[in-house]
Amino acid sequence: MDEQFILRVPPSVAERIERLMNEAAAGSSSNPDDSSLDLSFSEDGRSGTFMIGNQSFPASLLDLPTVVESYKTYDDSFLVKTADIGQMVMVREEDDPAPEGVEYKHGLTPPMRDARRRRYRREPDLSAELVHRVEKDLMSIMQGVSVNQNASVVGGGGKKAAPAHAPKPDVQEPAANGEEAEPERSDSDESDN
């Protein structure tokens, strides 16, 4: 699979990129300095600069709230998946504010606006103590040590968990002489004969 990302640029930059691609496809270029594209990132790997010709724009690498699949076709009949895209490079004008955080919370299309809050359930509120206790119990179980079953259940209102008793299966004991034992009969079974 290819490595891909989404490049989101302002409308003015999009027009220039489209013009450059059309000129490159036609084989004509008016000015080689105006036809250069460059994207470089600083040491943090999240902020950088997008250069088109002699003009530079601030850029940010952002994570998308969902994975986007990319497809291409060779014959207009069959689609071939080429990549899972999880990041976007957002180029913005100089006066536009930088996005907050490392995740672009709105996705790519209008229905995905604020997708993380609207479409996904919230992470549970877990205390560090609870996580540590459960982790310790799991490690004990994996090492073959029994865990105290009378520990209090979280969210149970302070009730103690009762040990679970498995129901005794209804299995007949074999007869002492090795023959099959007859099933026990009730009084109602005898009256049917």
Side-chain angles (χ1 to χ4, degrees), residues 137 164 189:
D137 289 346
D189 290 340

Side-chain angles (χ1 to χ4, degrees), residues 95-162:
D95 53 345
D96 289 344
E100 297 175 11
V102 296
E103 182 178 77
Y104 185 67
K105 66 179 186 175
H106 299 304
L108 297 176
T109 59
M112 293 298 291
R113 183 144 192 87
D114 205 10
R116 181 73 63 192
R117 184 184 58 80
R118 292 184 324 128
R119 295 184 182 253
Y120 302 112
R121 82 180 139 185
R122 286 186 248 148
E123 293 181 12
D125 295 332
L126 298 176
S127 67
E129 177 188 330
L130 173 66
V131 172
H132 180 68
R133 186 170 28 124
V134 169
E135 185 179 70
K136 185 175 139 188
D137 289 346
L138 285 175
M139 294 303 288
S140 298
I141 290 170
M142 289 174 35
Q143 292 174 355
V145 178
S146 66
V147 178
N148 183 7
Q149 292 185 0
N150 292 331
S152 63
V153 177
V154 175
K159 295 179 183 176
K160 300 279 186 182

Side-chain angles (χ1 to χ4, degrees), residues 73-90:
T73 181
Y74 296 105
D75 58 0
D76 293 331
S77 295
F78 297 101
L79 294 174
V80 178
K81 181 178 174 181
T82 58
D84 287 328
I85 303 172
Q87 292 183 318
M88 170 177 66
V89 175
M90 179 179 278

